[in-house]
Amino acid sequence: MAARIAFTPAPLPRRQSFPFIVWVRSRLPARWYDRHLQRRDLREIDDHLLRDLGLTREDVRRECAKSFWQA
């Protein structure tokens, strides 16, 4: 009589949702809000500090005119 060997399959790895959707739900709104805050702070910098950064008022105006989702 042949001995029977019990076969238990390895557990399947847990399936994750699409990485892009996970990223969008968690990281994208935070990135947009951070970009909004950075542009708001940039608008408030005085001319002396802008000169130290190598930026002009026109550079700042152009950057601040962008929407929050634009890089």
Side-chain angles (χ1 to χ4, degrees):
M1 181 187 263
R4 292 189 170 215
I5 298 174
F7 175 73
T8 55
L12 295 173
R14 186 173 158 201
R15 188 169 185 198
Q16 295 188 7
S17 47
F18 298 108
F20 179 74
I21 293 175
V22 171
W23 179 80
V24 166
R25 289 182 63 195
S26 63
R27 303 291 299 159
L28 192 58
R31 179 174 287 181
W32 284 347
Y33 185 66
D34 187 49
R35 193 174 293 154
H36 163 73
L37 294 178
Q38 288 177 13
R39 288 179 178 151
R40 188 182 68 184
D41 291 342
L42 181 63
R43 191 175 337 157
E44 297 173 0
I45 294 177
D46 64 355
D47 291 331
H48 175 70
L49 292 175
L50 287 177
R51 208 174 18 238
D52 287 345
L53 293 171
L55 298 173
T56 64
R57 275 286 157 203
E58 181 61 25
D59 296 335
V60 171
R61 187 198 62 75
R62 204 171 324 130
E63 183 64 29
C64 291
K66 294 180 182 178
S67 297
F68 61 89
W69 64 83
Q70 294 175 318

